[in-house]
Amino acid sequence: MRRILHLLARYPAITITVVVGVGVLALDLAEMEGASRWVATLYVSGFIVWTLVGMVRDVMRGHVGLDVLAVVAMVATLAVGEYVAALIIVLMLAGGEALEDYAGRRAKKELTALLDRSPRIAHVIVHGGSTESDEVRDTGADEVAIGDVLLVRPAEIVPVDGVLLTDTGTFDESSLTGESLPVSLSAGQEVLSGAINGSRAVRIRATRRSADSQYQQIVALVRDAQESRAPVVRLADRFAIPFTAVALAIAGAAWGISGDPARFAEVLVLATPCPLLIAAPVAFLGGLSRAARTGIIIKGGAVIEQLAQVRSAAFDKTGTLTRGRPDLVAVRPAAGFDADEVLRLAASAEQYSSHVLADGIRRAAEERGLRIERATDAREVATNGVTAVIGARTVVVGKPAYVAALAPDTERADLRTGQAGAYVALDGRFAGVLVLADDVRPESRAVIDWLGTHGVERVVMLTGDAASTAASIAQAVGIAQVHAELLPPEKVHLAAQLQPRPVLMVGDGVNDAPVLAAADIGIAMGAKGATAAGDAADAVILKDSLDQVVDAVSICRHTLRVAYTAIWIGVAISVALMLVATTGVIPAVAGALIQELVDLTTILYALRALTGPESGLVLDRSPTARLNA
């Protein structure tokens, strides 16, 4: 009951119209036709005035819609005494607007709960010393002053730009620079806000206030890009002027030929624009619901229009075309050591490490079915490596300098750009190198190929990563045009110049947020993306899979086809009925009720957007395909 009352309060126009309609019918049954006529006339007249005020506001914003036809129809029915028909028109209009409003608010509600991940709290060290007894006070990130000493705990986001005071620290800057591998910094080096601290608590001295820090500068770029983007006109409005002209012409001709002004109202009742006002919102709501069910949140019907017509696509690299996490790509054992044994013992030691490479090593051992053993003793030297006793063997895994200090025969490996090495020593002897890299997503190649064969004429890569790494990834996924080592403003500029339009941009980091907002359509990989990226994007992918970009395009194209078809069905039936009404065989009230059947027909067809054909994307997820990728 509470839910029903809430809905009635949310849509007062529908509620009041139903109440007035029931009252008018009750007065008619009580043979008080004069009173019922006055009640209906006053209410519909008030609704007409309210609609005209909205029309004037729209015209002042350069927007002309279908409301003029509805106003003429309501005035005409009142003028000829068909007040019940006028009430039916009001009910249809109120219902259509409520349905469209519901679709937009539903999408926003789901996104609000998803994207609230920005740094807000800073741990300020009151005395700024180096002892464990220093007092820590939590404060808002925007209250941090230059010179404040901050404590950043493991896995926390750095709240403001600063200088590292701790001897060393490891930070994940992938959401800022596009670099997927963690960055090791030493005392005195700059730490950027928005970076994620590693497994060790560190201290930094603030060098900028929150408003001037890297994170907030990127958010400001997002805001500017959003404000500069041109609005998209509603789909149904494109039919407004021609449909209005045809309807008025038919109604005027019927009046002129018959000499009966009631004929004008009878035709216009059948010309009310509800098939146009309702069909597109219902189809778009169906598309939004289907996309959400698939794991894609799309922010409104205008995005569906744009995404359905995309002609160019730009992709970030790290976390978008690639997995965004380092994976083991090779085991290079030293002479006399077995590759599986080296990996097994290294993974056993790395289960006691919180380093980002450790997860990739453990994962690789599990995928190969290697048994990970418990250690009798283990210790980690932050940012350098881990030493563990596994059975009767002493295992050391870490940076080359750290391992070389315990195994002098350690040899440095020849690594490609974008790769990282975890060096392994067993019982004081160099045992080999585990090579890790941010692997290409297995679906990336298929996604790029699908776009190229489905109307997307141009695909490019825009990344802040090194040129050599970007080129190798682009070649692997089938992208010919690469722009590397870009700063966020440069990405925005390149996206703005990209042709043909509309342009789709897909990214996941904070550094992608400005270009996501500047592109015609921005899609954020929300499973791992940052708040700014998700807020700036037009659509957010909830699952960590790039193939949902194809699903989004496919769903939007199907939705737009359904919306257009539903509109044309409504227009065709309405025009046919208007022509029949010129003969006078359809009274105004009957025409209004028949028009409700037309509305029902268009709604039922528009609901086809809830289902649709598959995208046709074929993915090869076999181990061989992953190895080749």
Side-chain angles (χ1 to χ4, degrees), residues 40-50 78:
T41 301
L42 288 174
Y43 175 70
V44 175
S45 298
F47 190 87
I48 291 172
V49 172
W50 180 71
L78 288 179

Side-chain angles (χ1 to χ4, degrees), residues 63-89:
H63 171 77
V64 179
L66 287 156
D67 294 333
V68 61
L69 187 57
V71 169
V72 174
M74 287 185 285
V75 170
T77 49
L78 288 179
V80 297
E82 298 288 352
Y83 54 91
V84 175
L87 282 172
I88 295 174
I89 296 173

Side-chain angles (χ1 to χ4, degrees), residues 222 225 462 488 491-493 495-496 505 511-522:
V222 173
L462 305 178
K491 286 187 178 183
V492 171
H493 176 72
M505 176 69 199
N511 65 311
D512 298 322
V515 69
L516 288 174
D520 298 314
I521 318 105

